[in-house]
Amino acid sequence: MIKRLRIQFVSIIMALLTILLGCIFGLTYYFTKQSLEKESLDLMESLADSPFQLGQLDEVSKRVKLPYCMLQIGSRGELIATNGGYYDLSDQEFLQKLVETAVSSEDDSGTIPAYNLRYGRYYTPGGVRLVFVDTTSEQASLHTLLRNSLLIGAVSLLLLFGVSVLLARRMVKPVEQAWKQQKQFVADASHELKTPLTVIMTNAELLQSPDYAPEAKAQFGANILMMSRQMRGLVESLLNLARIDQGQKQPEFAAVELSRLVEEAALPFEALFFEKELTLETEITPGLMVRGSASQLRQVVEILLDNAQKYASAPGWVRVSLTRQGRHVRLAVANTGAPISQEDLTNIFKRFYRLDAARSRDGSFGLGLSIAQSILTAHHGKIWAESSGSVNTFFAELPAAASQLPQG
């Protein structure tokens, strides 16, 4: 699909460029031809206005730049005078053919392709004056222009084709990356769903077997319930991500006192941290306000706290701080634990990415931090992680509410 998209992109660009260059060169050729034709007609009109010197050749005027000849036709159609430059006017048969062609034409001006001549017919009191101008140099100029245009056009299209290929690779790269991420996302989601489904099917089959005691069957039922809840959690996380990605049913943003929200979100985790021999420390600046969705921001706080309790080393501590940083409000959740590598700090926000693959068995699917990142992006904020020694810290930063920004 990506290859087809690149080909389509290059084809469209090349088609547009070909049409554009064709229009430019076509208009250049057309206006050049019109200019040369007008110059030739002006010359003919100027020659027609010059007085004839009967029976002899005049010196060529300084204004004349093309070979020409003039023929004066009497009232009875006889050739009574000739004049010209660079032409042999002694061939009466040739002159008679020119006269017949020009006189018999319906138009007062035109071309005689057989002789590469343009003629003009002008009426005078004594008859008709015919002016012929050679078009060889005009046609040569047009042919040269056409040849050069084709050559320049071909070279330009060749160069532009190379540029288009490079642009296509660059433009399609985000699409290719998104396509790969989507395929990886589907593969990871399928893998995460496959394991609990297998456990559910196996326990369901064992539950139907008459060879097991009621106590064993009760355990099979408990296993099915546990895996079903795990699947429900995964499906809900996937639906949450899909809603955030597509912007569906995005709640209206309102003023949120983030200080109170963080305090309330951290309170239920105290007992959980105590059971895991972790000390919860809070340092929250009161009265900090942001604009956003209170429910989604609470979810971000809960995701960071849940992540801390999963990966903190015991005995240890988890520290939650909320401070003002210029025009932003920064939430930091730090915990003691094994250092996180620089590669993991970059990849940890990718979907289904886990530092410990075994965490998938206790309800961790590697989606929490990705959901938090999507929420913060929708709130014009950002999230990142840092690791120093045995302390890992996750930061979430949001724009402060306008009412708290310094005036002026």
Side-chain angles (χ1 to χ4, degrees), residues 32 90 104 134 147 228 231 242 283 310 334 366:
T32 302
S90 61
S104 62
D134 185 77
R147 183 179 65 252
S228 298
M231 286 184 62
E283 185 180 348
K310 287 178 180 177

Side-chain angles (χ1 to χ4, degrees), residues 1-13 164-165 167-173 176 180:
M1 186 193 79
I2 300 300
K3 183 178 180 181
R4 190 183 306 115
L5 184 60
R6 287 177 179 170
I7 294 175
Q8 291 177 352
F9 181 85
V10 173
S11 300
I12 293 173
I13 293 297
S164 299
V165 172
L167 285 177
R169 290 179 180 175
R170 185 171 182 178
M171 296 295 291
V172 176
K173 189 174 182 180
E176 182 178 7
K180 290 181 179 178

Side-chain angles (χ1 to χ4, degrees), residues 173-227:
K173 189 174 182 180
V175 179
E176 182 178 7
Q177 185 176 2
W179 175 253
K180 290 181 179 178
Q181 289 177 348
Q182 182 180 3
K183 291 175 64 177
Q184 185 65 39
F185 180 80
V186 173
D188 291 339
S190 301
H191 174 75
E192 294 292 344
L193 290 170
K194 181 180 180 180
T195 301
L197 277 175
T198 302
V199 175
I200 290 173
M201 291 178 63
T202 302
N203 282 270
E205 291 174 355
L206 295 176
L207 192 61
Q208 293 178 346
S209 175
D211 300 333
Y212 293 93
E215 294 80 6
K217 291 186 176 182
Q219 183 59 46
F220 297 152
N223 293 339
I224 293 174
L225 181 59
M226 180 181 65
M227 289 295 103

Side-chain angles (χ1 to χ4, degrees), residues 26-42 118 138 142 145:
L27 290 174
T28 302
Y29 182 87
Y30 172 78
F31 286 118
T32 302
K33 182 179 180 182
Q34 294 296 314
S35 178
L36 292 174
E37 185 176 343
K38 184 177 183 302
E39 181 181 351
S40 179
L41 292 174
D42 290 344
R118 176 176 286 110
E138 178 182 333
L142 292 175
L145 176 62

Side-chain angles (χ1 to χ4, degrees), residues 94-282:
F94 169 69
L95 296 179
Q96 191 61 38
K97 289 181 180 180
L98 295 182
V99 171
E100 292 176 356
T101 302
V103 171
S104 62
S105 176
E106 296 181 358
D107 300 323
D108 290 335
S109 64
T111 58
I112 306 176
Y115 300 108
N116 293 327
L117 293 174
R118 176 176 286 110
Y119 69 88
R121 191 169 59 204
Y122 305 92
Y123 296 94
T124 63
V128 178
R129 184 174 298 168
L130 301 177
V131 181
F132 298 90
V133 173
D134 185 77
T135 60
T136 302
S137 61
E138 178 182 333
Q139 294 176 5
S141 298
L142 292 175
H143 290 160
T144 301
L145 176 62
L146 181 61
R147 183 179 65 252
N148 292 339
S149 297
L150 292 175
L151 179 61
I152 294 173
V155 174
S156 300
L157 288 176
L158 184 61
L159 293 176
L160 291 172
F161 175 76
V163 175
S164 299
V165 172
L166 295 177
L167 285 177
R169 290 179 180 175
R170 185 171 182 178
M171 296 295 291
V172 176
K173 189 174 182 180
V175 179
E176 182 178 7
Q177 185 176 2
W179 175 253
K180 290 181 179 178
Q181 289 177 348
Q182 182 180 3
K183 291 175 64 177
Q184 185 65 39
F185 180 80
V186 173
D188 291 339
S190 301
H191 174 75
E192 294 292 344
L193 290 170
K194 181 180 180 180
T195 301
L197 277 175
T198 302
V199 175
I200 290 173
M201 291 178 63
T202 302
N203 282 270
E205 291 174 355
L206 295 176
L207 192 61
Q208 293 178 346
S209 175
D211 300 333
Y212 293 93
E215 294 80 6
K217 291 186 176 182
Q219 183 59 46
F220 297 152
N223 293 339
I224 293 174
L225 181 59
M226 180 181 65
M227 289 295 103
S228 298
R229 288 173 176 171
Q230 185 173 334
M231 286 184 62
R232 184 182 65 180
L234 175 58
V235 171
E236 289 177 349
S237 297
L238 292 175
L239 291 176
N240 194 7
L241 273 175
R243 283 193 295 267
I244 295 173
D245 289 344
Q246 298 178 10
Q248 295 179 353
K249 298 180 180 180
Q250 184 70 23
E252 293 184 3
F253 286 176
V256 177
E257 186 178 350
L258 192 59
S259 301
R260 179 182 297 178
L261 185 147
V262 173
E263 289 179 352
E264 294 176 353
L267 189 61
F269 282 85
E270 290 184 353
L272 181 61
F273 290 150
F274 179 78
E275 290 181 0
K276 292 193 173 185
E277 299 181 4
L278 299 173
T279 302
L280 177 61
E281 303 174 3
T282 59

Side-chain angles (χ1 to χ4, degrees), residues 333-348:
V333 178
N335 63 269
T336 55
I340 303 176
S341 67
Q342 190 60 42
E343 180 182 359
D344 287 334
L345 289 175
T346 303
N347 296 325
I348 200 169

